[in-house]
Amino acid sequence: MDLKTSDGSINRYLSMEYYATSSTVVPTYQSFGAVYIDQSDYFDSLSYIYQAFIMNNKIQLTRVLNTANPVVDWSFEFSEFTATEKTDDKWRRKEPKFITTDPTNPQVFYLSGRYQGKASVMQFTKKQGNMQWWTSFNQLTYIQSIIEVPGSSVFYGCGDYDVNDAFGTAITTTAYTAGIFKMDNDGSVKWFMRISGTNPVSSAANQDRCFGVTIDNEKTGKLTALLQVKMREVRSSTYNPGNYYDTVLM
Amino acid sequence: MFSSSQGLVKADNYHFFAGWAYGYQTNLQKLTKSSTTLDFDAYVYKYMFNHDQSYSCIYESTITANTMSGRVTLSVQSKIESTDMVTYYRDNSDLLRI
């Protein structure tokens, strides 16, 4: 939905549907929030909607002309890594989560989330959807937050690393370490911070995750992170040493 | 408490963070819920670092930088690249798609 910020009224409602949908062909869809409306394209000044979602377990990345009669300008379906993957193969796991932009380059956008089982950030051209680069994190599984920095080519993100990445393991019991990173618009990772503690309950898995990062601007040099952790090292002795999460602002 | 993705923003000197929880307790309020039959509510907190303690609402404790730094491993770009912490793909054809 394209909403009018002043009063919340709906400017436009866009629903994407597989072209061959019928009573017997009904794809399954999943969306994670990867959407961006560009009100005025750098090249033709038109408005476009960029979005990524999953249809039948494959990532779809599309650019749609944002008019009363929307037109798909370009669209891609990401192929699976190999043809021999098992249903539970981690290479199948994906999560197109965020679409962000580069304040210093109006010709590109970023798609970030999880692809081929790993946290990933990709840069694409707006005009044709060409991939410029793709950075895949080998010690990060999910990206939970990503932020642009006003007027800067660098950006920050954070997430967590599912250490064992066992398919079907309950998210409440699997082991996690948190990760925070800084990237530049050439795809390079400037630094990576791994955060890990020990669960106050020794028999339970260590579970440290990161869900948010925020910054005023690059010049202040101060980044705040929202951590969700189970660390006996940082929990005050005032509180019960149980197997529950603490919220930490760092 | 559970945090939500992209669950932190900063406006002026305030941090706002959001998530969900089954019950909560502050200095001013308390809501108790069953820990076995989970019934979650969403929350949003407004927080300022170094605030006047007379305005304290939530239970909080400060973690020293030394304590936290012992739980952190920081890798700079040269180490990230020399130890394969990331894999870079630079060509449009590296991404298989139709």
Side-chain angles (χ1 to χ4, degrees), chain A residues 129 136 138 144-145 186 228, chain B residues 3 5-6 15 84 87 90 97:
Chain A
S136 178
N138 296 319
Q144 304 287 4
S145 176
D186 62 358
Q228 178 183 293
Chain B
S3 304
S5 289
Q6 204 78 322
H15 286 83
D84 294 330
T87 303
R90 302 292 193 193
R97 52 188 180 157

Side-chain angles (χ1 to χ4, degrees), chain A residues 146-206:
Chain A
I146 201 151
I147 52 163
E148 303 169 18
V149 180
S152 175
S153 65
V154 302
F155 55 97
Y156 298 86
C158 81
D160 28 63
Y161 180 41
D162 184 342
V163 178
N164 301 310
D165 209 9
F167 189 79
T169 301
I171 202 167
T172 53
T173 58
T174 193
Y176 286 101
T177 61
I180 305 172
F181 59 86
K182 175 182 182 178
M183 290 184 69
D184 208 341
N185 66 357
D186 62 358
S188 60
V189 180
K190 297 303 181 186
W191 53 256
F192 181 83
M193 177 182 287
R194 178 174 175 271
I195 303 163
S196 176
T198 307
N199 194 315
V201 176
S202 58
S203 59
N206 298 331

Side-chain angles (χ1 to χ4, degrees), chain A residues 77 79 97 129 131-132 134 136 138 144-146 186-187 189-192 194 196 211 216 224 228, chain B residues 2-3 5-7 10 15 67 71-73 75 77 84-92 96-98:
Chain A
E77 179 179 272
S79 303
K97 197 150 188 172
M131 190 197 78
Q132 303 295 96
W134 160 23
S136 178
N138 296 319
Q144 304 287 4
S145 176
I146 201 151
D186 62 358
V189 180
K190 297 303 181 186
W191 53 256
F192 181 83
R194 178 174 175 271
S196 176
F211 284 92
D216 282 338
T224 309
Q228 178 183 293
Chain B
F2 298 88
S3 304
S5 289
Q6 204 78 322
K10 188 179 183 190
H15 286 83
T67 301
R71 316 286 16 113
V72 167
T73 306
S75 302
Q77 186 172 358
D84 294 330
M85 291 174 69
V86 297
T87 303
Y88 293 128
Y89 302 92
R90 302 292 193 193
D91 194 293
N92 185 42
L96 303 176
R97 52 188 180 157
I98 52 176

